[in-house]
Amino acid sequence: MIPLFLAACDAGQKPEDVAPETSASSDSIALSSPPSLKSAPSASNSANSGKVTVVFFGTSLTAGYGLDPAIAFPRQIEVMAAESGTPIVAVNAGLSGETSAGAVRRIGWVMKQPADVVVIETGGNDALRALNADSLRTNLSAIVKEVRRAQPDARILLAVMEAPPNLGAAYTSRFRQAYVAVAKAEALTLLPFLLEGVAGHDDLNQADGVHPNEKGEKVVAGNVWKALRPVVEEVYRGKNSG
């Protein structure tokens, strides 16, 4: 059973108050301007030559709410990738409190940032508000289409989120199916539930019982990297062949 972990996914600032965060790595690309701006920095520099740029687009769960950004799972994946011999530039574009509708409005700005791979994590705050699961599916599709319009060569991975069981079996089923349907229709790599093995475990979460602590972030990073690694390795070979 999936615990009621989503009840505080939007804890903290409102979406319009928070700009996308970068990872703590010196190789990371700063996305420090507010989402309303029409430009984003370029990823092209000699230090990042040959590396795979992975944009992690999500909510507070991606941003690493309550933690040092160096502990958030995108940064930990950056370390894992370097250790595996396929270095990446991890761009943390997590935004606390954002629904999938908000993500639709923001994705165009974020995709001014060059990206080889985009990991999409959204929908948790939709479940918090018991928003229509069909609307979630429509918004996920719109996000994917905008990524492909702006970065046609980018590989896209979609992380599954789960609705809390108190919303009823019918809703939780439709909610989950939204991710499966979009991944199938758009031929995406579907990541498992982002908080698999973390949700409901007190020792892996912060005091709010919702956001992973440092130990939990390591588990999340492992969950994501397991599915992301083959994609990164393929893209890395393509960038560095010949």
Side-chain angles (χ1 to χ4, degrees):
M1 182 179 73
I2 302 302
L4 183 55
F5 69 91
L6 290 173
C9 280
D10 63 348
Q13 298 124 309
K14 296 179 181 179
E16 59 267 27
D17 297 331
V18 186
E21 299 177 29
T22 77
S23 85
S25 167
S26 60
D27 292 331
S28 300
I29 296 99
L31 289 179
S32 55
S33 301
S36 59
L37 293 187
K38 296 182 179 180
S39 62
S42 170
S44 59
N45 59 63
S46 57
N48 295 325
S49 177
K51 294 184 179 180
V52 177
T53 299
V54 182
V55 174
F56 294 89
F57 180 75
T59 66
S60 58
L61 296 173
T62 290
Y65 176 83
L67 301 172
D68 186 307
I71 297 173
F73 79 81
R75 168 57 178 152
Q76 297 204 36
I77 288 175
E78 189 175 66
V79 173
M80 292 176 178
E83 291 174 346
S84 74
T86 53
I88 69 171
V89 178
V91 180
N92 189 332
L95 184 60
S96 295
E98 186 173 71
T99 63
S100 64
V104 172
R105 294 189 291 272
R106 186 167 65 103
I107 188 62
W109 183 86
V110 173
M111 283 297 98
K112 293 178 185 294
Q113 161 70 59
D116 297 308
V117 180
V118 180
V119 177
I120 300 169
E121 172 268 305
T122 191
N125 291 309
D126 294 52
L128 167 63
R129 295 165 175 80
L131 299 179
N132 189 290
D134 292 335
S135 295
L136 170 63
R137 178 174 174 174
T138 298
N139 292 336
L140 291 173
S141 294
I143 293 166
V144 171
K145 286 178 170 56
E146 178 58 24
V147 172
R148 287 187 167 148
R149 184 201 66 78
Q151 301 289 339
D153 295 327
R155 300 284 296 275
I156 305 172
L157 295 87
L158 179 62
V160 172
M161 298 304 298
E162 296 281 0
N166 66 313
L167 294 177
Y171 180 85
T172 56
S173 177
R174 290 200 309 273
F175 191 88
R176 185 182 303 114
Q177 186 58 31
Y179 295 92
V180 175
V182 171
K184 182 177 181 180
E186 301 291 345
L188 308 180
T189 298
L190 191 65
L191 295 172
F193 175 43
L194 189 78
L195 299 179
E196 186 68 40
V198 177
H201 295 268
D202 291 344
D203 61 324
L204 297 178
N205 286 280
Q206 298 178 48
D208 61 13
V210 174
H211 295 91
N213 58 22
E214 184 171 358
K215 288 173 61 179
E217 288 289 333
K218 290 180 180 178
V219 176
V220 173
N223 290 343
V224 176
W225 181 234
K226 183 177 181 179
L228 177 59
R229 181 173 183 171
V231 177
V232 166
E233 290 177 342
E234 182 179 340
V235 174
Y236 183 81
R237 288 193 297 269
K239 288 176 70 77
N240 294 278
S241 61

